[in-house]
Amino acid sequence: MREVSVDVPSPLSGCLDHCEVECVRLCCGIDALSTDPALVAAWGRRVGPDAVAEARRQLAALVEVVRDRSHVVTSTFLNHRTHDDAARDELLDLLAELEAGLARRHRS
């Protein structure tokens, strides 16, 4: 199966940097990230609605790539590789929780 490497552009990368509170991605990968709604909302308030809207577009594009099970997704930024279905589902769950937090912030 071929590998697809994904980058995480700004402002989405800034949101993920802000959510890196459990550990650091270099050590723990996506387990270092928290999707606590209050944390995501704090980032949204800091950057404003335009950046939140752009991050949501970037997130949707990332989800589309990760959902495609015809390839393995790797990300140096996230320190994650979808080597099996569990790893892919773990990433998709994180992205869905992040989207929910961004959508919630975007409505406020």
Side-chain angles (χ1 to χ4, degrees):
M1 186 177 297
R2 75 181 175 98
E3 288 194 12
V4 173
S5 179
V6 295
D7 191 26
V8 180
S10 180
L12 180 58
S13 62
C15 179
L16 293 168
D17 285 340
H18 182 81
C19 293
E20 187 178 338
V21 297
E22 302 297 328
C23 189
V24 294
R25 289 185 315 269
L26 184 59
C27 174
C28 293
I30 62 174
D31 290 334
L33 302 172
S34 170
T35 55
D36 180 286
L39 187 63
V40 176
W43 176 80
R45 284 189 303 276
R46 190 178 84 224
V47 299
D50 291 342
V52 170
E54 179 61 20
R56 290 183 73 200
R57 284 189 288 275
Q58 293 168 341
L59 186 58
L62 180 56
V63 167
E64 188 174 320
V65 171
V66 175
R67 278 192 182 138
D68 182 349
R69 295 183 186 269
S70 69
H71 54 259
V72 172
V73 175
T74 62
S75 173
T76 301
F77 181 84
L78 294 171
N79 187 19
H80 193 77
R81 183 174 185 270
T82 62
H83 60 279
D84 62 16
D85 285 341
R88 186 180 307 272
D89 291 343
E90 181 182 20
L91 181 54
L92 286 170
D93 288 347
L94 175 108
L95 298 175
E97 290 169 9
L98 188 61
E99 167 55 28
L102 290 172
R104 180 176 174 206
R105 161 58 189 108
H106 193 67
R107 289 191 303 262
S108 344

